[in-house]
C-alpha cells in the first residue's frame, strides 16, 4: 500500500485511504511518522477519499497529532465526509483538530500564508 | 431476513462481511448513516474478538459465526466464537482526546441500542441490536 504525501508551502498533505482501519492502520501511521521525523511537522490529513474509519483509524489521526508536538507542529483534517465527521465528533477528536473543507484555507491556517502552488 | 455468515479470523473476511451487510441494509432502505454506524460497530466487535481470542483457539476453531437479521425496527447482529471468556467492558465515557486506544467499545456503547455479552458452553455470544429510528 502506498500513502501519497504532497507538499505545499511546507505543509505535508497526506492522502488517507478509502478505508482507514485496523488492518492498515500500522502502515499508514508508520508512513506519517517517518515523514514527520524527517522534519515535516505541519500535516494536513486529507480524508476526502476516506469512506470508512474505525477506532484504529482514529488512533492514526491522534498519533500524528502527538508526533508533531515535539517539533511545535500542527495537524489539521481536510474534508471528512459526514459519517466520518460524526465519528470524529462522537469521540471528541474535533477538540484537538481543526477541520477544514477547503485545502487552501487549511494550508493558510497551518502556515499563515496564502496557498499559491497547485498539485 | 436472517443471514448467517461464517468468517475466518483473517482481515479480508471482515471487509467482505461489512460489504454484504451494507448491501443488505441498502436493500432494506436503511440510510448511509445507519449503515456506517452499524458497520463501524461490527468492525469494532470483530477487532475486539480477534484481539481476545488466543492463537491456539484460532487454530483449533478457525471459523466464527455472524448472525445478521433485519427487523422492521432495526438490525440484530450476533457474533459467536469458541474461545475462553473475556471481560467485555462497556465504557460510558470517551477516552481522553490524546489516548491512542480505548475508543472502540465506547463507540459501540454510543451507537448500539442494546448490547449484551455472555459466555456459555465454551462459546462467546455477543449480541447487538441497532434501532432504525
Amino acid at each position: 500500500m502506498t500513502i501519497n504525501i504532497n507538499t505545499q508551502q511546507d505543509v505535508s498533505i497526506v492522502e488517507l485511504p478509502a478505508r482507514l482501519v485496523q488492518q492498515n492502520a500500522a502502515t499508514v501511521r508508520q508512513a506519517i511518522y517517518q515523514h514527520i521525523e524527517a522534519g515535516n511537522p505541519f500535516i494536513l490529513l486529507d480524508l476526502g477519499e476516506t469512506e470508512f474509519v474505525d477506532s484504529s483509524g482514529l488512533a492514526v489521526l491522534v498519533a500524528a497529532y502527538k508526533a508533531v508536538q515535539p517539533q511545535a507542529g500542527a495537524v489539521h483534517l481536510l474534508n471528512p465526509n459526514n459519517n466520518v465527521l460524526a465519528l470524529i465528533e462522537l469521540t471528541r477528536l474535533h477538540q484537538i483538530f481543526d477541520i477544514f473543507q477547503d485545502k487552501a484555507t487549511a494550508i493558510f491556517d497551518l502556515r499563515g500564508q496564502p496557498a499559491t502552488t497547485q498539485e | 431476513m436472517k443471514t448467517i455468515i461464517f468468517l475466518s479470523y483473517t482481515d479480508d473476511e471482515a471487509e467482505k462481511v461489512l460489504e454484504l451487510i451494507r448491501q443488505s441494509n441498502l436493500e432494506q432502505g436503511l440510510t448511509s448513516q445507519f449503515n456506517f454506524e452499524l458497520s463501524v460497530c461490527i468492525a469494532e466487535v470483530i477487532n475486539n474478538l480477534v484481539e481476545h481470542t488466543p492463537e491456539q483457539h484460532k487454530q483449533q476453531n478457525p471459523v466464527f459465526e455472524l448472525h445478521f437479521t433485519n427487523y422492521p425496527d432495526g438490525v440484530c447482529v450476533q457474533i459467536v466464537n469458541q474461545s475462553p471468556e473475556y471481560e467485555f467492558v462497556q465504557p460510558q465515557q470517551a477516552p481522553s482526546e490524546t489516548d491512542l486506544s480505548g475508543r472502540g467499545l465506547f463507540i459501540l456503547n454510543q451507537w448500539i441500542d442494546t448490547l449484551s455479552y455472555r459466555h456459555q458452553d465454551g462459546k462467546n455470544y455477543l449480541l447487538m441490536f441497532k434501532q432504525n429510528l
Side-chain angles (χ1 to χ4, degrees), chain B residues 8 75-76 118:
Chain B
S8 74
V75 173
C76 184
R118 68 187 164 93

Side-chain angles (χ1 to χ4, degrees), chain A residues 7-88:
Chain A
T7 301
Q8 289 186 31
Q9 298 183 226
D10 295 332
V11 173
S12 302
I13 303 158
V14 182
E15 294 177 11
L16 295 175
R19 292 173 53 81
L20 184 57
V21 294
Q22 186 183 50
Q23 290 74 29
N24 63 8
T27 303
V28 178
R29 178 160 52 186
Q30 188 60 30
I32 296 172
Y33 272 165
Q34 285 178 353
H35 196 73
I36 293 170
E37 285 170 2
N40 302 289
F42 295 97
I43 305 292
L44 182 58
L45 297 177
D46 186 350
L47 289 151
E49 298 298 321
T50 304
E51 297 171 359
F52 190 82
V53 179
D54 67 8
S55 62
S56 298
L58 293 177
V60 171
L61 311 183
V62 175
Y65 169 84
K66 294 177 84 165
V68 302
Q69 301 307 312
Q71 297 184 50
V75 178
H76 288 353
L77 305 184
L78 178 64
N79 206 17
N81 69 32
N82 287 339
N83 290 330
V84 173
L85 182 60
L87 184 60
I88 287 168

Side-chain angles (χ1 to χ4, degrees), chain B residues 86-100:
Chain B
Y86 62 90
E87 185 184 9
F88 188 78
V89 295
Q90 298 187 43
Q92 299 300 316
Q93 291 189 326
S96 161
E97 293 85 347
T98 54
D99 283 354
L100 288 173

